[in-house]
């Protein structure tokens, strides 16, 4: 809803729009959707999508070649600036200084800014306080992992798009047990589609469970021992002491 409002009236409300959430939940997808919709409504608009690492690289290159003024003019003259993975700007003081002034210039002229990160602004400790404060000045939207019903609806949509029939019990099992990360969920789903198309007969539940288990094993399992080890290391204890 926030993305739709921004795309319909860039610079008017929710400026900046700051979206945060885990990997594979659709932040980048939403940012592209916003940029494309702004261009659909106004083909003459200057819309820039960039990740923060590329922004840093371009600024370093501009400094090396004496083109920092051109760099400033370019980014301060856009109608919408969409910056992905803003957390990677942390610890880069010169870049943060420039981005701070670019941010202020765009907001003062009612130009839209959309930011995405894996964390809430207050958790970005390596960013300057004034930047974190600016990021929280608009709308901060948490993109959480989809709940069971949403995962079912997503997979039903995928099945319809791919024109494949998958039993409801299979979809329910995947929605219940597969990773919440939509990207990994799609990986499991694609495996099942392949089994449906190239296997002999309908996919059986044990086969689906094996597929889910293989995807789950790709991620490091978090154990009590691991939590103790990491926490002890963080605070300078031995695991036994903790």
């Amino acid at each position: 809803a926030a993305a739709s409002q921004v795309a319909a009236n860039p610079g008017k409300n929710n400026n900046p729009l700051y979206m945060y959430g885990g990997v594979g939940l659709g932040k980048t997808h939403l940012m592209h959707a916003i940029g494309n919709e702004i261009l659909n409504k106004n083909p003459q608009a200057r819309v820039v999508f960039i990740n923060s690492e590329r922004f840093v690289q371009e600024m370093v290159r501009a400094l090396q070649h004496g083109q920092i003024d051109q760099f400033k003019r370019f980014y301060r003259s856009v109608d919408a600036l969409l910056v992905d993975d803003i957390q990677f700007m942390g610890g880069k003081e010169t870049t943060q200084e420039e981005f701070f002034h670019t941010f202020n210039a765009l907001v003062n002229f009612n130009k839209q800014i959309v930011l995405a990160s894996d964390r809430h602004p207050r958790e970005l400790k390596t960013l300057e306080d004034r930047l974190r404060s600016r990021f929280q000045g608009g709308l901060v939207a948490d993109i959480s992992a989809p709940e069971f019903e949403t995962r079912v609806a997503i997979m039903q949509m995928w099945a319809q798009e791919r024109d494949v029939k998958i039993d409801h019990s299979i979809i329910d099992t995947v929605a219940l047990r597969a990773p919440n990360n939509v990207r990994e969920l799609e990986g499991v789903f694609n495996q099942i589609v392949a089994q449906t198309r190239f296997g002999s007969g309908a996919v059986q539940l044990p086969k689906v469970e094996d597929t889910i288990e293989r995807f789950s094993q790709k991620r490091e399992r978090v154990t009590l021992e691991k939590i103790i080890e990491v926490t002890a290391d963080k605070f300078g204890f031995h695991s036994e002491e903790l």
Side-chain angles (χ1 to χ4, degrees):
S4 295
Q5 288 180 3
V6 164
N9 297 290
K12 305 298 183 186
N13 299 301
N14 304 329
N15 198 18
L17 171 60
Y18 183 105
M19 301 181 289
Y20 73 99
V23 174
L25 296 180
K27 301 184 298 296
T28 303
H29 186 103
L30 271 175
M31 296 180 82
H32 280 292
I34 291 170
N36 286 327
E37 183 62 16
I38 291 174
L39 288 172
N40 285 338
K41 292 179 179 297
N42 178 15
Q44 305 306 314
R46 298 189 66 194
V47 179
V48 172
F49 172 88
I50 192 170
N51 63 49
S52 63
E53 288 183 303
R54 177 71 181 273
F55 185 89
V56 172
Q57 291 169 1
E58 289 190 4
M59 183 174 172
V60 169
R61 193 178 302 116
L63 288 168
Q64 290 174 338
H65 294 86
Q67 299 174 336
I68 193 64
D69 289 337
Q70 295 94 310
F71 176 88
K72 293 179 179 180
R73 281 197 299 271
F74 175 81
Y75 281 101
R76 298 182 192 184
S77 63
V78 302
D79 296 304
L81 178 60
L82 302 91
V83 185
D84 203 1
D85 293 325
I86 195 70
Q87 70 271 12
F88 292 127
M89 206 173 283
K92 302 173 177 67
E93 290 80 6
T94 304
T95 303
Q96 290 183 47
E97 175 78 18
E98 174 54 32
F99 190 76
F100 175 79
H101 294 299
T102 297
F103 183 102
N104 287 339
L106 293 176
V107 170
N108 289 341
F109 284 98
N110 296 319
K111 306 301 183 182
Q112 183 65 50
I113 296 177
V114 181
L115 307 171
S117 175
D118 61 350
R119 282 160 284 170
H120 191 283
R122 64 171 172 266
E123 297 176 10
L124 300 177
K125 302 301 185 183
T126 56
L127 284 184
E128 296 178 359
D129 289 343
R130 57 180 180 173
L131 268 182
R132 283 186 280 145
S133 175
R134 292 294 194 282
F135 293 171
Q136 296 179 77
L139 176 64
V140 177
D142 174 14
I143 302 181
S144 55
E147 67 281 359
F148 172 78
E149 291 81 5
T150 302
R151 295 199 296 274
V152 169
I154 288 171
M155 285 188 289
Q156 288 174 340
M157 178 190 68
W158 287 338
Q160 186 175 7
E161 288 175 348
R162 292 162 173 76
D163 192 27
V164 61
K165 293 186 182 299
I166 299 177
D167 190 87
H168 289 297
S169 64
I170 299 294
I171 287 182
D172 287 350
T173 299
V174 176
L176 190 63
R177 296 185 51 191
N180 288 343
N181 179 318
V182 179
R183 199 172 293 152
E184 292 184 17
L185 181 67
E186 186 171 19
V188 174
F189 182 84
N190 287 338
Q191 289 289 323
I192 294 169
V193 169
Q195 293 166 15
T196 301
R197 286 180 171 164
F198 305 123
S200 55
V203 177
Q204 301 301 313
L205 194 56
K207 186 72 172 176
V208 172
E209 292 174 338
D210 287 344
T211 300
I212 295 172
E213 185 64 23
R214 286 202 305 275
F215 269 81
S216 298
Q217 287 173 351
K218 291 180 181 179
R219 298 173 296 162
E220 182 180 2
R221 294 189 180 278
V222 179
T223 63
L224 178 59
E225 289 74 19
K226 185 66 176 179
I227 292 172
I228 292 174
E229 176 190 337
V230 172
T231 307
D233 182 64
K234 172 70 176 178
F235 293 100
F237 293 100
H238 292 296
S239 297
E240 293 76 12
E241 291 177 299
L242 185 58

